[in-house]
Amino acid sequence: MILVLGGTKEAHELCDYLIAEEIEFYLSVATDYAIDIFKAYDKYMIVGKLDKNGIINFCEKNNVDLIVDITHPYAFMVSQNAIEAASEMGISYLRYERQSSSAYSDENIYYVETHEEAIKLAMTLSDKIFLTVGSNNADIYAPYNQSVDIFIRILPKSDLVKKCEDLGFKNSNIIAMQGPFSKALNKAMLTSTNAGVLITKESGNLGGFMDKLEACIELDVKLIVVQRPIVNYPLMFNDIEVLKRVIREK
């Protein structure tokens, strides 16, 4: 039995493969929002955040002997919990990681390690800042609302909008939309907000990184990229076809 830690676009492809190969699995997603996104796999799905003990308990109860981690590149605590749980149980752990896009260089691109570094740098470059870092990081940027004009793009959920409102973001600066966002749409948003800086995470091409990068370059907007956290994965793949083959051989 396989436990797939999902939530990303790539998780759809992996689940489709496991179903086609008649390989038994459970799909773990962290939020209720994922229920709609992964509704095609509802009979395989478990919803809710699992800490290390939660992963261990679930795996022992359901005879899981392989954990496949295909979570978002920034969900590092989930990955760390899964690595430690697999090690304690003596079962296999496989990680799929989107290919990094940090090799791109341009005079308008800045790479930083933390969100705190990102906002402090952004404020030296422009007084209008566009955030595409997710609502989970909104609290880091909120205290700077009084000094600069910050626009934040989040998922279209009422609780996330309320969270941003409660943090002090202006209603007019909260953009609640579901992606994917094309280069043209990114350009339109940057132009309409007159933003001089876009802050994003290095989420890979499938996460829309290139569309944001190209939009910024064409508009001469500064792009600040918060790099991925460093996790020591025991076994990691950047090619999902290779991951499928390894799973099939286990």
PDB file of all heavy atoms in Angstrom, residues 146-172:
ATOM      1  N   GLN A 146       1.717  49.808   5.981  1.00  0.00           N
ATOM      2  CA  GLN A 146       1.657  51.233   6.272  1.00  0.00           C
ATOM      3  C   GLN A 146       2.740  52.018   5.551  1.00  0.00           C
ATOM      4  O   GLN A 146       2.630  53.236   5.370  1.00  0.00           O
ATOM      5  CB  GLN A 146       1.794  51.455   7.793  1.00  0.00           C
ATOM      6  CG  GLN A 146       0.767  50.711   8.630  1.00  0.00           C
ATOM      7  CD  GLN A 146      -0.656  51.060   8.240  1.00  0.00           C
ATOM      8  OE1 GLN A 146      -0.987  52.231   8.035  1.00  0.00           O
ATOM      9  NE2 GLN A 146      -1.513  50.052   8.131  1.00  0.00           N
ATOM     10  N   SER A 147       3.790  51.325   5.121  1.00  0.00           N
ATOM     11  CA  SER A 147       4.927  52.003   4.501  1.00  0.00           C
ATOM     12  C   SER A 147       4.876  51.980   2.974  1.00  0.00           C
ATOM     13  O   SER A 147       5.325  52.918   2.323  1.00  0.00           O
ATOM     14  CB  SER A 147       6.242  51.357   4.970  1.00  0.00           C
ATOM     15  OG  SER A 147       6.339  51.399   6.383  1.00  0.00           O
ATOM     16  N   VAL A 148       4.338  50.898   2.427  1.00  0.00           N
ATOM     17  CA  VAL A 148       4.255  50.757   0.970  1.00  0.00           C
ATOM     18  C   VAL A 148       2.887  50.202   0.596  1.00  0.00           C
ATOM     19  O   VAL A 148       2.144  49.712   1.444  1.00  0.00           O
ATOM     20  CB  VAL A 148       5.363  49.822   0.421  1.00  0.00           C
ATOM     21  CG1 VAL A 148       6.726  50.472   0.519  1.00  0.00           C
ATOM     22  CG2 VAL A 148       5.347  48.480   1.147  1.00  0.00           C
ATOM     23  N   ASP A 149       2.565  50.277  -0.676  1.00  0.00           N
ATOM     24  CA  ASP A 149       1.292  49.773  -1.190  1.00  0.00           C
ATOM     25  C   ASP A 149       1.499  48.321  -1.611  1.00  0.00           C
ATOM     26  O   ASP A 149       2.204  48.051  -2.595  1.00  0.00           O
ATOM     27  CB  ASP A 149       0.854  50.628  -2.386  1.00  0.00           C
ATOM     28  CG  ASP A 149      -0.648  50.687  -2.539  1.00  0.00           C
ATOM     29  OD1 ASP A 149      -1.364  50.247  -1.625  1.00  0.00           O
ATOM     30  OD2 ASP A 149      -1.101  51.172  -3.587  1.00  0.00           O
ATOM     31  N   ILE A 150       0.886  47.387  -0.890  1.00  0.00           N
ATOM     32  CA  ILE A 150       1.096  45.965  -1.155  1.00  0.00           C
ATOM     33  C   ILE A 150      -0.179  45.342  -1.703  1.00  0.00           C
ATOM     34  O   ILE A 150      -1.245  45.404  -1.082  1.00  0.00           O
ATOM     35  CB  ILE A 150       1.541  45.217   0.122  1.00  0.00           C
ATOM     36  CG1 ILE A 150       2.846  45.810   0.665  1.00  0.00           C
ATOM     37  CG2 ILE A 150       1.713  43.731  -0.178  1.00  0.00           C
ATOM     38  CD1 ILE A 150       3.336  45.134   1.937  1.00  0.00           C
ATOM     39  N   PHE A 151      -0.053  44.706  -2.872  1.00  0.00           N
ATOM     40  CA  PHE A 151      -1.135  43.944  -3.477  1.00  0.00           C
ATOM     41  C   PHE A 151      -0.843  42.458  -3.259  1.00  0.00           C
ATOM     42  O   PHE A 151       0.304  42.028  -3.409  1.00  0.00           O
ATOM     43  CB  PHE A 151      -1.236  44.233  -4.976  1.00  0.00           C
ATOM     44  CG  PHE A 151      -1.490  45.681  -5.290  1.00  0.00           C
ATOM     45  CD1 PHE A 151      -0.431  46.584  -5.381  1.00  0.00           C
ATOM     46  CD2 PHE A 151      -2.781  46.144  -5.486  1.00  0.00           C
ATOM     47  CE1 PHE A 151      -0.663  47.922  -5.662  1.00  0.00           C
ATOM     48  CE2 PHE A 151      -3.019  47.482  -5.760  1.00  0.00           C
ATOM     49  CZ  PHE A 151      -1.960  48.373  -5.851  1.00  0.00           C
ATOM     50  N   ILE A 152      -1.864  41.681  -2.918  1.00  0.00           N
ATOM     51  CA  ILE A 152      -1.652  40.270  -2.648  1.00  0.00           C
ATOM     52  C   ILE A 152      -2.642  39.419  -3.434  1.00  0.00           C
ATOM     53  O   ILE A 152      -3.844  39.679  -3.424  1.00  0.00           O
ATOM     54  CB  ILE A 152      -1.744  39.960  -1.139  1.00  0.00           C
ATOM     55  CG1 ILE A 152      -1.431  38.489  -0.869  1.00  0.00           C
ATOM     56  CG2 ILE A 152      -3.103  40.364  -0.552  1.00  0.00           C
ATOM     57  CD1 ILE A 152      -1.187  38.170   0.603  1.00  0.00           C
ATOM     58  N   ARG A 153      -2.122  38.429  -4.146  1.00  0.00           N
ATOM     59  CA  ARG A 153      -2.958  37.519  -4.930  1.00  0.00           C
ATOM     60  C   ARG A 153      -3.090  36.195  -4.177  1.00  0.00           C
ATOM     61  O   ARG A 153      -2.085  35.558  -3.856  1.00  0.00           O
ATOM     62  CB  ARG A 153      -2.348  37.287  -6.317  1.00  0.00           C
ATOM     63  CG  ARG A 153      -3.288  36.557  -7.272  1.00  0.00           C
ATOM     64  CD  ARG A 153      -2.768  36.648  -8.693  1.00  0.00           C
ATOM     65  NE  ARG A 153      -1.608  35.810  -8.939  1.00  0.00           N
ATOM     66  CZ  ARG A 153      -0.824  35.913 -10.010  1.00  0.00           C
ATOM     67  NH1 ARG A 153      -1.067  36.859 -10.914  1.00  0.00           N
ATOM     68  NH2 ARG A 153       0.217  35.119 -10.177  1.00  0.00           N
ATOM     69  N   ILE A 154      -4.337  35.823  -3.900  1.00  0.00           N
ATOM     70  CA  ILE A 154      -4.600  34.626  -3.096  1.00  0.00           C
ATOM     71  C   ILE A 154      -5.678  33.781  -3.766  1.00  0.00           C
ATOM     72  O   ILE A 154      -6.315  34.217  -4.732  1.00  0.00           O
ATOM     73  CB  ILE A 154      -5.053  34.998  -1.665  1.00  0.00           C
ATOM     74  CG1 ILE A 154      -6.334  35.845  -1.721  1.00  0.00           C
ATOM     75  CG2 ILE A 154      -3.937  35.712  -0.920  1.00  0.00           C
ATOM     76  CD1 ILE A 154      -6.955  36.120  -0.364  1.00  0.00           C
ATOM     77  N   LEU A 155      -5.901  32.605  -3.236  1.00  0.00           N
ATOM     78  CA  LEU A 155      -6.976  31.742  -3.735  1.00  0.00           C
ATOM     79  C   LEU A 155      -8.329  32.361  -3.385  1.00  0.00           C
ATOM     80  O   LEU A 155      -8.477  33.032  -2.355  1.00  0.00           O
ATOM     81  CB  LEU A 155      -6.863  30.351  -3.120  1.00  0.00           C
ATOM     82  CG  LEU A 155      -5.671  29.509  -3.589  1.00  0.00           C
ATOM     83  CD1 LEU A 155      -5.565  28.245  -2.755  1.00  0.00           C
ATOM     84  CD2 LEU A 155      -5.794  29.166  -5.072  1.00  0.00           C
ATOM     85  N   PRO A 156      -9.350  32.129  -4.217  1.00  0.00           N
ATOM     86  CA  PRO A 156     -10.662  32.744  -3.993  1.00  0.00           C
ATOM     87  C   PRO A 156     -11.489  32.005  -2.935  1.00  0.00           C
ATOM     88  O   PRO A 156     -12.487  31.349  -3.232  1.00  0.00           O
ATOM     89  CB  PRO A 156     -11.317  32.651  -5.381  1.00  0.00           C
ATOM     90  CG  PRO A 156     -10.705  31.432  -5.988  1.00  0.00           C
ATOM     91  CD  PRO A 156      -9.283  31.390  -5.491  1.00  0.00           C
ATOM     92  N   LYS A 157     -11.067  32.143  -1.698  1.00  0.00           N
ATOM     93  CA  LYS A 157     -11.782  31.553  -0.563  1.00  0.00           C
ATOM     94  C   LYS A 157     -12.098  32.655   0.441  1.00  0.00           C
ATOM     95  O   LYS A 157     -11.230  33.473   0.768  1.00  0.00           O
ATOM     96  CB  LYS A 157     -10.943  30.460   0.109  1.00  0.00           C
ATOM     97  CG  LYS A 157     -10.776  29.190  -0.703  1.00  0.00           C
ATOM     98  CD  LYS A 157     -10.173  28.086   0.147  1.00  0.00           C
ATOM     99  CE  LYS A 157     -11.114  27.679   1.260  1.00  0.00           C
ATOM    100  NZ  LYS A 157     -10.557  26.639   2.147  1.00  0.00           N
ATOM    101  N   SER A 158     -13.331  32.656   0.940  1.00  0.00           N
ATOM    102  CA  SER A 158     -13.776  33.736   1.823  1.00  0.00           C
ATOM    103  C   SER A 158     -12.932  33.827   3.088  1.00  0.00           C
ATOM    104  O   SER A 158     -12.650  34.934   3.568  1.00  0.00           O
ATOM    105  CB  SER A 158     -15.253  33.556   2.189  1.00  0.00           C
ATOM    106  OG  SER A 158     -15.465  32.292   2.813  1.00  0.00           O
ATOM    107  N   ASP A 159     -12.508  32.675   3.628  1.00  0.00           N
ATOM    108  CA  ASP A 159     -11.721  32.720   4.858  1.00  0.00           C
ATOM    109  C   ASP A 159     -10.336  33.314   4.617  1.00  0.00           C
ATOM    110  O   ASP A 159      -9.771  33.983   5.489  1.00  0.00           O
ATOM    111  CB  ASP A 159     -11.609  31.318   5.488  1.00  0.00           C
ATOM    112  CG  ASP A 159     -10.955  30.311   4.568  1.00  0.00           C
ATOM    113  OD1 ASP A 159     -11.190  30.371   3.343  1.00  0.00           O
ATOM    114  OD2 ASP A 159     -10.217  29.439   5.070  1.00  0.00           O
ATOM    115  N   LEU A 160      -9.795  33.112   3.414  1.00  0.00           N
ATOM    116  CA  LEU A 160      -8.479  33.682   3.094  1.00  0.00           C
ATOM    117  C   LEU A 160      -8.584  35.188   2.861  1.00  0.00           C
ATOM    118  O   LEU A 160      -7.693  35.944   3.266  1.00  0.00           O
ATOM    119  CB  LEU A 160      -7.890  32.996   1.864  1.00  0.00           C
ATOM    120  CG  LEU A 160      -7.655  31.485   1.974  1.00  0.00           C
ATOM    121  CD1 LEU A 160      -6.995  30.956   0.718  1.00  0.00           C
ATOM    122  CD2 LEU A 160      -6.815  31.153   3.205  1.00  0.00           C
ATOM    123  N   VAL A 161      -9.673  35.609   2.220  1.00  0.00           N
ATOM    124  CA  VAL A 161      -9.897  37.043   2.048  1.00  0.00           C
ATOM    125  C   VAL A 161     -10.031  37.720   3.404  1.00  0.00           C
ATOM    126  O   VAL A 161      -9.441  38.769   3.659  1.00  0.00           O
ATOM    127  CB  VAL A 161     -11.154  37.298   1.188  1.00  0.00           C
ATOM    128  CG1 VAL A 161     -11.487  38.791   1.167  1.00  0.00           C
ATOM    129  CG2 VAL A 161     -10.946  36.786  -0.232  1.00  0.00           C
ATOM    130  N   LYS A 162     -10.815  37.094   4.297  1.00  0.00           N
ATOM    131  CA  LYS A 162     -11.006  37.655   5.646  1.00  0.00           C
ATOM    132  C   LYS A 162      -9.678  37.713   6.393  1.00  0.00           C
ATOM    133  O   LYS A 162      -9.393  38.683   7.109  1.00  0.00           O
ATOM    134  CB  LYS A 162     -12.019  36.845   6.440  1.00  0.00           C
ATOM    135  CG  LYS A 162     -12.337  37.460   7.807  1.00  0.00           C
ATOM    136  CD  LYS A 162     -13.384  36.660   8.538  1.00  0.00           C
ATOM    137  CE  LYS A 162     -13.806  37.370   9.825  1.00  0.00           C
ATOM    138  NZ  LYS A 162     -12.668  37.687  10.713  1.00  0.00           N
ATOM    139  N   LYS A 163      -8.869  36.673   6.234  1.00  0.00           N
ATOM    140  CA  LYS A 163      -7.562  36.662   6.897  1.00  0.00           C
ATOM    141  C   LYS A 163      -6.734  37.868   6.458  1.00  0.00           C
ATOM    142  O   LYS A 163      -6.132  38.559   7.290  1.00  0.00           O
ATOM    143  CB  LYS A 163      -6.811  35.367   6.558  1.00  0.00           C
ATOM    144  CG  LYS A 163      -5.376  35.341   7.077  1.00  0.00           C
ATOM    145  CD  LYS A 163      -4.636  34.086   6.635  1.00  0.00           C
ATOM    146  CE  LYS A 163      -3.183  34.122   7.095  1.00  0.00           C
ATOM    147  NZ  LYS A 163      -2.433  32.906   6.693  1.00  0.00           N
ATOM    148  N   CYS A 164      -6.714  38.132   5.160  1.00  0.00           N
ATOM    149  CA  CYS A 164      -5.937  39.264   4.651  1.00  0.00           C
ATOM    150  C   CYS A 164      -6.525  40.596   5.106  1.00  0.00           C
ATOM    151  O   CYS A 164      -5.784  41.533   5.429  1.00  0.00           O
ATOM    152  CB  CYS A 164      -5.861  39.204   3.126  1.00  0.00           C
ATOM    153  SG  CYS A 164      -4.822  37.852   2.511  1.00  0.00           S
ATOM    154  N   GLU A 165      -7.851  40.663   5.156  1.00  0.00           N
ATOM    155  CA  GLU A 165      -8.498  41.873   5.668  1.00  0.00           C
ATOM    156  C   GLU A 165      -8.113  42.109   7.124  1.00  0.00           C
ATOM    157  O   GLU A 165      -7.772  43.225   7.519  1.00  0.00           O
ATOM    158  CB  GLU A 165     -10.015  41.753   5.542  1.00  0.00           C
ATOM    159  CG  GLU A 165     -10.539  41.828   4.128  1.00  0.00           C
ATOM    160  CD  GLU A 165     -12.034  41.592   4.048  1.00  0.00           C
ATOM    161  OE1 GLU A 165     -12.587  40.950   4.985  1.00  0.00           O
ATOM    162  OE2 GLU A 165     -12.664  42.036   3.083  1.00  0.00           O
ATOM    163  N   ASP A 166      -8.175  41.045   7.910  1.00  0.00           N
ATOM    164  CA  ASP A 166      -7.844  41.154   9.335  1.00  0.00           C
ATOM    165  C   ASP A 166      -6.384  41.540   9.550  1.00  0.00           C
ATOM    166  O   ASP A 166      -6.040  42.166  10.566  1.00  0.00           O
ATOM    167  CB  ASP A 166      -8.140  39.832  10.057  1.00  0.00           C
ATOM    168  CG  ASP A 166      -9.631  39.528  10.138  1.00  0.00           C
ATOM    169  OD1 ASP A 166     -10.438  40.446   9.914  1.00  0.00           O
ATOM    170  OD2 ASP A 166      -9.980  38.357  10.409  1.00  0.00           O
ATOM    171  N   LEU A 167      -5.532  41.173   8.607  1.00  0.00           N
ATOM    172  CA  LEU A 167      -4.117  41.517   8.713  1.00  0.00           C
ATOM    173  C   LEU A 167      -3.840  42.959   8.309  1.00  0.00           C
ATOM    174  O   LEU A 167      -2.726  43.459   8.502  1.00  0.00           O
ATOM    175  CB  LEU A 167      -3.277  40.572   7.843  1.00  0.00           C
ATOM    176  CG  LEU A 167      -3.072  39.150   8.383  1.00  0.00           C
ATOM    177  CD1 LEU A 167      -2.442  38.261   7.312  1.00  0.00           C
ATOM    178  CD2 LEU A 167      -2.214  39.159   9.640  1.00  0.00           C
ATOM    179  N   GLY A 168      -4.853  43.607   7.723  1.00  0.00           N
ATOM    180  CA  GLY A 168      -4.692  45.014   7.376  1.00  0.00           C
ATOM    181  C   GLY A 168      -4.501  45.311   5.904  1.00  0.00           C
ATOM    182  O   GLY A 168      -4.259  46.465   5.527  1.00  0.00           O
ATOM    183  N   PHE A 169      -4.616  44.297   5.041  1.00  0.00           N
ATOM    184  CA  PHE A 169      -4.525  44.560   3.612  1.00  0.00           C
ATOM    185  C   PHE A 169      -5.794  45.278   3.150  1.00  0.00           C
ATOM    186  O   PHE A 169      -6.901  44.943   3.571  1.00  0.00           O
ATOM    187  CB  PHE A 169      -4.370  43.248   2.827  1.00  0.00           C
ATOM    188  CG  PHE A 169      -3.019  42.600   2.977  1.00  0.00           C
ATOM    189  CD1 PHE A 169      -2.799  41.633   3.951  1.00  0.00           C
ATOM    190  CD2 PHE A 169      -1.965  42.971   2.157  1.00  0.00           C
ATOM    191  CE1 PHE A 169      -1.563  41.032   4.094  1.00  0.00           C
ATOM    192  CE2 PHE A 169      -0.728  42.380   2.295  1.00  0.00           C
ATOM    193  CZ  PHE A 169      -0.523  41.412   3.264  1.00  0.00           C
ATOM    194  N   LYS A 170      -5.641  46.271   2.277  1.00  0.00           N
ATOM    195  CA  LYS A 170      -6.785  46.982   1.744  1.00  0.00           C
ATOM    196  C   LYS A 170      -7.633  46.038   0.888  1.00  0.00           C
ATOM    197  O   LYS A 170      -7.092  45.201   0.158  1.00  0.00           O
ATOM    198  CB  LYS A 170      -6.327  48.157   0.880  1.00  0.00           C
ATOM    199  CG  LYS A 170      -5.474  49.183   1.597  1.00  0.00           C
ATOM    200  CD  LYS A 170      -4.966  50.221   0.597  1.00  0.00           C
ATOM    201  CE  LYS A 170      -3.993  51.195   1.245  1.00  0.00           C
ATOM    202  NZ  LYS A 170      -3.423  52.140   0.254  1.00  0.00           N
ATOM    203  N   ASN A 171      -8.952  46.196   0.958  1.00  0.00           N
ATOM    204  CA  ASN A 171      -9.828  45.374   0.131  1.00  0.00           C
ATOM    205  C   ASN A 171      -9.486  45.504  -1.352  1.00  0.00           C
ATOM    206  O   ASN A 171      -9.512  44.517  -2.099  1.00  0.00           O
ATOM    207  CB  ASN A 171     -11.291  45.752   0.348  1.00  0.00           C
ATOM    208  CG  ASN A 171     -11.803  45.319   1.710  1.00  0.00           C
ATOM    209  OD1 ASN A 171     -11.860  46.117   2.626  1.00  0.00           O
ATOM    210  ND2 ASN A 171     -12.171  44.052   1.843  1.00  0.00           N
ATOM    211  N   SER A 172      -9.169  46.724  -1.752  1.00  0.00           N
ATOM    212  CA  SER A 172      -8.850  46.972  -3.157  1.00  0.00           C
ATOM    213  C   SER A 172      -7.539  46.334  -3.588  1.00  0.00           C
ATOM    214  O   SER A 172      -7.260  46.209  -4.787  1.00  0.00           O
ATOM    215  CB  SER A 172      -8.792  48.480  -3.425  1.00  0.00           C
ATOM    216  OG  SER A 172      -7.817  49.089  -2.586  1.00  0.00           O
TER     217      SER A 172
END
